[in-house]
Amino acid sequence: MDFGYPVLTLLIAFPLVAACGLFFIKAAPVVRYYTMVVSLIECLLAVPLFQYVPNAEFQFVEKIDWVHQWGLQYYLGVDGISILMVLLTIAVLPLCVMCSWTYIGKREKEFHFCLLFMTSSVLGVFCALDLVLFYVFWEAMLIPMYLLIAVWGGDDRRYASLKFFLYTLAGSTLLLAAIVAFRITGGTFSIPELMEQSFSFRFQFWAFLAMALAFAIKVPMFPFHTWLPAAHVQAPSAGSVILAAVLLKMGTYGFLRFCLPLTPAASDYFAPMMIAISLISIIYGGAIALGQSDIKKLIAYSSVGHMGFVTLGIFLFNLRGVEGALFQMLNHGIVTGALFMMIGCVYERSHSREIEDNMGMGKYMPAYMFFWGLMALASFGFPGTNGFVGEILVFVGAFQENTWIGFLCVPGALLAAAYMFRVSLKMAWGKPSTAAGWKDLNAREWIYLTIPAVFVLWIGLAPSPFFKIIDPSIDKLLNDFDKRKVAHLEAEQPVKTAANDIFSVFAVNK
Amino acid sequence: MNFITSLIVPEIYYLFLAIALMIQSCGDREWKPDVEKWLPFGALLGLFTTIAHYHAHGTMLYGTYEVDMMSQFFKIALSFGFFVIVINTSRQPTLADEKRADYYMLLTFSTFGLMLLSSCVELITIYLALELASYSMYAIIPLRAKSKGAAESGVKYILFGAVATALALYGLSYIMAAQHTTYIAELATKNWHFSDNPMAVVGLCLFLGGMFFKLALFPFHFWCPDVYQGASNETASFVATMPKMGAIVILVRMATFLKPGLEITTLLAVLGACSMTFGNLSALAQKDLKRLLGFSSVAHAGYIMVGLVSGTPEGLAAAAFYALAYLLMNLLVFWIVSRVAVDGRNLEFSDLNGLYKKAPVLAFSLAAGAFALVGLPPTMGFMGKFFLITSAWDHGYNWLVIILVLNSAIAIYYYLSLFRHAFTEEKGVAEHPAPDNSWFASAGAGLLAAAVLIAGILPAPLFNFAIAAGKSLYGIVSTGTH
């Protein structure tokens, strides 16, 4: 599709270029209006993406030589798996600007710069089709997120931001090693070209481990999740929203984009382990969330559980599972993003995130409680909301794969209902502490809560347009995966020897 | 003896510059114009002269002196480094007034020596050029007014340096005895297996020791943090960058006969691994910024080994590219250190607190420098590391690549501290003077930061130059574009 201009590059570059304009603005209100306008223009720039034709091909492709000697390319494109993530990222930006309108009391300019920079780099992650380009965007995202937590965060921000940075960067250095290994073995950094090749099991084994660690930390999967609650609790609302809505998706997107197509045999080999970890994440996340007294921490741990559903769906390797996983990625972005914005709303009123300090709002803030209720229902997958669509698909996929896996998911769903009901009941009908004097939602809050609410109901009631977009890509992904996996199983019987090869990577390999 | 003047115009230019400074330093103290007023222009002209001669090609002085792509690459880097350092030192607060001309003369002589070093392809010539570059350095390190530490670090540098060069000379004699030649090109055709030729391998180890001393590679790194700490900030910026470029160019040349699997190559790889690990772990514990940068440079010396042991033109090109990245990153960070410490004191982390408020451009540039040193994209440091890893993978030293990757993860912590103090800590130390926030300081830092970023985003032109240089060493004809 040719629009006469590079759509994706414009989407990626515009926020960054516009962010530089912030340095010429002095007054804080102007900074906010400027960023708002930038984010709305960014949404307009995304309109051509609706011309996406639902097939399995990469579209809006741009390809330019970057470093010829090393085969690096500036190579962008989107398919059914990434386009929804791109749209989600762009849609979240104006909401983030709105929810930090009065929340950020200092250094507004830098704050909005970080938001825009972040959006650019996350969009780059979802659009990149060159491994190194992907890595560049993947790492570039760390700096603004670090600053968002470290400068505008809560009291313990220093610890949380450092933990976030060290965890994610330590994981992604191994991703870099895997990327280089792909280049040496496959002869290219181009992801579509690498998807066409098949690698030896031994290679896949190591590449999968290196990549999976980076992605698992980002998701985050148990036991690499400990940075997440700390980061979420300390981050300002907009930081939490971005973190929950798009950043965690980068991990699961990595699994879908790299692990399954590039290392199918290893993915298959490690699937039982990944499924087990996902189930542990689901149940552990839910159980810990149930015990939280801090609303933000509760939602943070619930993210661990929800993302567990996503990774579970991915490693089931069946259509329903992967569809469910992709839907859950989108849903979690919308719902948890909205929940974090709502926690921001209430924090601005009570200056506390404890459930005890935010009780009994039902009478004084009915509109707020309406939205909260809707998001809570969506969060635990109530029929009619988007959460239901995603979760039921993962369930179906799990039962298709193995009845036990299906059964083991059930407590996760029940726990989600339990903790969401617990916190919602207390917030709505608990004994009012300070809620008596609070004003209900203002116009700005109405706007930024209505938008996700519309999507919750839209996806919940009429998900078929979304299926249409993602299905061809998922079909292709799974078909290729099955073909390659079978080919490997026939070609070699490598599984047992691979584990014995742990030290062979150190051997001289001329 | 063939002598082609047109090949060595840049060297001659620097020699004349040094002589001019020598005349000024011998002259009247009231001599006008002040050396700081004219030398930056002289250095800039030197940079242009070097760039204008980048395509020079030829051999002279009985084949001991070769002007090729590799030498021109490093000469341009050295001229650029000299130019930045001259500008940086023009406001040196801890240098006595009457010593200014002498100081610059020594800097220029050292640079002249290093430029000669880039072209030397014979061991004795290398030794001579190295000594010419070193003697001036021994003299400038203690030039920090009213500082006992400076004298101490000067003595340390001389003693360590003397031992290292003695070792190198001793090794040279072994090589000559065993291989009957001192020309690198001929040495490259000889047998370097320890079992066949133990004396030559031992000699080479000793000779390389002299280079490792300059590069501050483990275990020859002990002087490095102490000397950085003792020397003035501006002098440290010279010591930290320029001699290392000299050492790297020699190592790159000698690496053409280091094949993967040779004992000596493995030794280099092991030293590289130790260097990265010791450098990074020691840096974690540092509070003094210059000591931290000292240990970090030990780690970076180890990174460069990854390119050298790969045994491919790409590996040498990656090492050369990384050397350039290293030069730029360190010039940038030392520029900021010098501008923040306006009174010439040694900085600690707390001195950076609130820098984003006091000097936003310096703070932003420091961020670029710190992230480049970590190897985060989109900086030159990332591209450099990426090229090193890619060139070395699958050439027999995969374990070294893995150690590099793990070390990068360790290094994040202390480099991030630089960034953290500048951006997230609010309270500065009140009694210290405010950082230099003048347009001059900001412009210098901003330009260097921009260079680090642009070369990270668009590394192709520089890398093409480096790869042409790398291929020229292997005798592969290259046009520089492919």
Side-chain angles (χ1 to χ4, degrees):
Chain A
M1 214 169 321
D2 190 14
F3 286 90
Y5 69 93
V7 179
L8 296 179
T9 302
L10 197 64
L11 280 175
I12 295 169
F14 177 70
L16 197 59
V17 173
C20 298
L22 282 170
F23 288 111
F24 303 103
I25 303 173
K26 285 227 165 69
V30 185
V31 167
R32 291 196 285 267
Y33 282 112
Y34 175 82
T35 319
M36 193 66 221
V37 171
V38 167
S39 63
L40 292 177
I41 296 177
E42 175 77 358
C43 291
L44 286 179
L45 291 175
V47 169
L49 291 185
F50 290 99
Q51 298 289 316
Y52 177 84
V53 185
N55 58 28
E57 299 304 313
F58 285 106
Q59 295 173 32
F60 305 98
V61 171
E62 293 163 33
K63 200 170 177 181
I64 304 168
D65 253 3
W66 182 18
V67 184
H68 179 79
Q69 295 287 352
W70 240 260
L72 300 189
Q73 287 175 326
Y74 177 78
Y75 189 6
L76 302 177
V78 285
D79 67 351
I81 296 171
S82 51
I83 191 162
L84 288 182
M85 293 299 117
V86 169
L87 290 172
L88 177 69
T89 311
I90 293 170
V92 160
L93 177 64
L95 303 185
C96 284
V97 178
M98 275 195 270
C99 82
S100 2
W101 204 262
T102 50
Y103 192 95
I104 300 300
K106 56 174 183 182
R107 296 166 74 178
E108 270 92 352
K109 216 190 290 186
E110 288 102 322
F111 177 83
H112 289 97
F113 180 85
C114 287
L115 274 187
L116 293 173
F117 184 3
M118 183 91 161
T119 307
S120 273
S121 41
V122 175
L123 284 175
V125 166
F126 291 130
C127 295
L129 291 182
D130 180 279
L131 283 169
V132 178
L133 191 66
F134 171 87
Y135 187 78
V136 167
F137 286 122
W138 172 277
E139 294 286 70
M141 169 284 301
L142 286 178
I143 302 163
M145 194 63 221
Y146 170 79
L147 281 176
L148 282 180
I149 303 173
V151 177
W152 296 275
D155 297 333
D156 227 0
R157 55 183 184 266
R158 203 167 303 156
Y159 164 76
S161 56
L162 199 60
K163 197 168 177 182
F164 160 76
F165 200 93
L166 291 182
Y167 256 71
T168 43
L169 194 50
S172 45
T173 43
L174 287 176
L175 176 64
L176 180 62
I179 287 174
V180 171
F182 270 113
R183 150 80 180 168
I184 302 296
T185 318
T188 176
F189 285 116
S190 150
I191 297 167
E193 280 176 41
L194 284 170
M195 283 177 179
E196 303 295 319
Q197 303 186 11
S198 57
F199 302 98
S200 71
F201 181 79
R202 189 183 143 219
F203 175 80
Q204 291 192 22
F205 181 91
W206 289 106
F208 179 90
L209 280 183
M211 293 193 297
L213 183 66
F215 298 145
I217 289 175
K218 196 71 115 199
V219 169
M221 294 175 85
F222 179 88
F224 308 108
H225 66 285
T226 58
W227 64 268
L228 181 82
H232 263 318
V233 171
Q234 298 304 325
S237 286
S240 300
V241 173
I242 293 193
L243 200 58
V246 291
L247 236 65
L248 307 189
K249 310 300 170 304
M250 287 164 51
T252 44
Y253 173 75
F255 280 123
L256 280 172
R257 177 63 80 226
F258 298 99
C259 291
L260 264 56
L262 302 184
T263 58
S267 299
D268 191 46
Y269 176 66
F270 283 110
M273 184 184 86
M274 300 303 287
I275 289 175
I277 295 179
S278 304
L279 287 171
I280 295 172
S281 297
I282 293 171
I283 295 170
Y284 171 88
I288 303 283
L290 196 56
Q292 295 305 316
S293 61
D294 181 319
I295 313 175
K296 216 171 177 185
K297 231 180 197 167
L298 186 147
I299 303 296
Y301 276 109
S302 85
S303 288
V304 177
H306 289 308
M307 294 309 285
F309 272 107
V310 180
T311 46
L312 175 67
I314 292 172
F315 282 93
L316 292 172
F317 306 132
N318 57 34
L319 179 65
R320 294 290 162 247
V322 178
E323 263 180 351
L326 252 178
F327 259 95
Q328 276 302 78
M329 281 162 74
L330 187 65
N331 295 339
H332 180 260
I334 298 168
V335 173
T336 311
L339 284 170
F340 277 120
M341 289 195 283
M342 299 190 75
I343 296 168
C345 289
V346 76
Y347 182 76
E348 282 187 72
R349 289 170 172 81
S350 68
H351 301 288
S352 164
R353 294 191 192 100
E354 292 293 316
I355 299 177
E356 297 297 317
D357 299 330
N358 294 303
M359 295 207 298
M361 280 185 283
K363 198 167 157 194
Y364 308 100
M365 299 177 70
Y368 179 89
M369 279 325 297
F370 163 74
F371 282 114
W372 181 273
L374 181 67
M375 294 304 163
L377 291 178
S379 177
F380 67 77
F382 192 75
T385 61
N386 60 350
F388 176 73
V389 183
E391 219 161 277
I392 198 79
L393 285 169
V394 176
F395 269 107
V396 172
F399 276 107
Q400 264 179 15
E401 179 70 20
N402 184 318
T403 320
W404 283 109
I405 299 176
F407 269 122
L408 285 170
C409 299
V410 175
L414 291 178
L415 279 168
Y419 62 70
M420 272 336 276
F421 266 124
R422 172 176 160 262
V423 67
S424 303
L425 285 176
K426 283 196 174 177
M427 283 173 75
W429 292 292
K431 193 174 161 218
S433 43
T434 51
W438 295 349
K439 281 196 182 123
D440 206 352
L441 302 180
N442 59 32
R444 179 172 54 82
E445 289 165 337
W446 264 99
I447 296 173
Y448 70 65
L449 291 177
T450 309
I451 297 169
V454 168
F455 277 93
V456 164
L457 293 173
W458 180 15
I459 302 176
L461 298 172
S464 52
F466 297 89
F467 281 115
K468 224 180 258 173
I469 295 174
I470 63 175
D471 271 352
S473 296
I474 294 179
D475 278 335
K476 180 170 183 288
L477 179 81
L478 290 176
N479 281 338
D480 288 359
F481 176 80
D482 285 336
K483 255 186 253 161
R484 221 88 58 71
K485 191 180 75 184
V486 171
H488 265 289
L489 289 178
E490 284 169 0
E492 38 187 336
Q493 287 294 329
V495 178
K496 279 179 189 156
T497 52
N500 300 334
D501 275 4
I502 289 177
F503 294 102
S504 60
V505 73
F506 295 104
V508 174
N509 187 6
K510 281 180 211 159
Chain B
M1 185 176 79
N2 59 334
F3 187 87
I4 311 161
T5 320
S6 63
L7 281 185
I8 53 163
V9 175
E11 287 92 322
I12 295 174
Y13 177 83
Y14 279 90
L15 180 61
F16 276 112
L17 203 59
I19 292 171
L21 285 162
M22 189 191 273
I23 294 169
Q24 182 158 12
S25 72
C26 296
D28 191 345
R29 293 292 167 215
E30 301 297 312
W31 200 330
K32 297 288 175 193
D34 289 339
V35 60
E36 286 92 351
K37 296 241 167 72
W38 68 268
L39 189 59
F41 297 102
L44 186 62
L45 187 60
L47 176 60
F48 285 134
T49 314
T50 320
I51 292 174
H53 283 79
Y54 84 94
H55 59 275
H57 186 82
T59 313
M60 53 196 271
L61 303 174
Y62 302 110
T64 59
Y65 199 84
E66 186 168 332
V67 178
D68 58 7
M69 284 296 255
M70 189 53 87
S71 73
Q72 299 315 89
F73 181 84
F74 275 93
K75 278 177 202 166
I76 292 173
L78 287 165
S79 310
F80 177 76
F82 180 71
F83 171 63
V84 174
I85 287 162
V86 164
I87 297 180
N88 190 22
T89 40
S90 62
R91 292 185 186 175
Q92 189 169 182
T94 53
L95 182 64
D97 270 344
E98 68 275 14
K99 288 180 187 148
R100 290 193 176 265
D102 314 54
Y103 181 84
Y104 287 109
M105 178 199 74
L106 293 167
L107 280 190
T108 316
F109 259 120
S110 187
T111 310
F112 170 62
L114 292 169
M115 293 194 77
L116 293 182
L117 196 59
S118 333
S119 276
C120 292
V121 290
E122 192 263 345
L123 298 186
I124 299 173
T125 333
I126 288 173
Y127 181 77
L128 292 175
L130 186 69
E131 287 304 279
L132 177 61
S134 302
Y135 284 134
S136 319
M137 303 262 301
Y138 297 147
I140 58 168
I141 286 167
L143 288 183
R144 190 184 199 186
K146 296 170 196 156
S147 166
K148 281 183 190 157
E152 184 193 323
S153 68
V155 171
K156 264 184 193 159
Y157 194 58
I158 294 172
L159 288 180
F160 274 116
V163 172
T165 43
L167 278 179
L169 201 57
Y170 189 51
L172 175 59
S173 67
Y174 270 39
I175 296 175
M176 278 173 81
Q179 306 284 31
H180 310 290
T181 180
T182 51
Y183 287 89
I184 289 181
E186 284 176 37
L187 287 172
T189 61
K190 304 277 179 179
N191 186 346
W192 290 100
H193 284 285
F194 186 75
S195 49
D196 302 331
N197 216 342
M199 190 157 75
V201 175
V202 170
L204 184 61
C205 289
L206 293 172
F207 187 80
L208 287 177
M211 303 301 141
F212 294 161
F213 166 77
K214 287 279 171 247
L215 192 61
L217 187 83
F218 176 91
F220 300 89
H221 68 285
F222 289 102
W223 60 273
C224 180
D226 293 347
V227 169
Y228 284 18
Q229 190 181 19
S232 75
N233 296 327
E234 292 77 4
T235 309
S237 78
F238 187 88
V239 181
T241 50
M242 302 285 272
K244 305 218 158 142
M245 299 297 282
I248 291 166
V249 66
I250 294 306
L251 286 171
V252 166
R253 282 191 188 285
M254 296 182 78
T256 48
F257 55 86
L258 300 174
K259 306 282 182 303
L262 284 178
E263 292 86 353
I264 182 86
T265 317
T266 308
L267 181 74
L268 280 188
V270 170
L271 289 185
C274 294
S275 202
M276 293 177 212
T277 315
F278 279 81
N280 279 323
L281 290 179
S282 312
L284 284 179
Q286 302 307 318
K287 294 235 159 48
D288 185 300
L289 277 193
K290 275 192 293 174
R291 275 191 85 78
L292 180 140
L293 289 171
F295 280 114
S296 108
S297 74
V298 175
H300 282 277
Y303 299 154
I304 287 172
M305 289 300 130
V306 178
L308 297 183
V309 299
S310 74
T312 57
E314 283 79 16
L316 299 191
F321 185 86
Y322 198 77
L324 188 65
Y326 176 83
L327 175 84
L328 274 174
M329 299 184 296
N330 272 281
L331 285 177
L332 170 60
V333 175
F334 272 105
W335 177 280
I336 293 155
V337 167
S338 306
R339 300 296 126 189
V340 174
V342 278
D343 51 354
R345 69 185 187 279
N346 275 9
L347 289 185
E348 301 217 333
F349 275 128
S350 56
D351 289 304
L352 294 176
N353 287 359
L355 188 66
Y356 78 93
K357 214 182 262 174
K358 292 181 240 168
V361 181
L362 288 189
F364 169 76
S365 309
L366 180 68
F371 287 130
L373 286 164
V374 179
L376 265 191
T379 60
M380 201 178 177
F382 166 71
M383 276 299 162
K385 247 183 212 170
F386 171 75
F387 292 148
L388 284 176
I389 293 175
T390 316
S391 65
W393 191 262
D394 238 16
H395 287 95
Y397 294 98
N398 289 357
W399 60 269
L400 187 62
V401 173
I402 291 170
I403 289 179
L404 187 155
V405 167
L406 294 178
N407 263 290
S408 303
I410 300 176
I412 300 158
Y413 183 80
Y414 62 88
Y415 288 127
L416 190 65
S417 293
L418 295 174
F419 178 67
R420 187 161 61 87
H421 281 271
F423 280 88
T424 65
E425 304 276 345
E426 300 282 341
K427 284 181 202 132
V429 182
E431 65 263 30
H432 289 312
D436 180 0
N437 200 12
S438 62
W439 68 267
F440 169 77
S442 303
L447 287 174
L448 284 170
V452 167
L453 287 174
I454 291 170
I457 296 167
L458 299 169
L462 272 177
F463 191 77
N464 283 337
F465 194 6
I467 195 103
K471 283 183 176 167
S472 74
L473 288 186
Y474 277 87
I476 301 168
V477 178
S478 170
T479 56
T481 52
H482 284 280

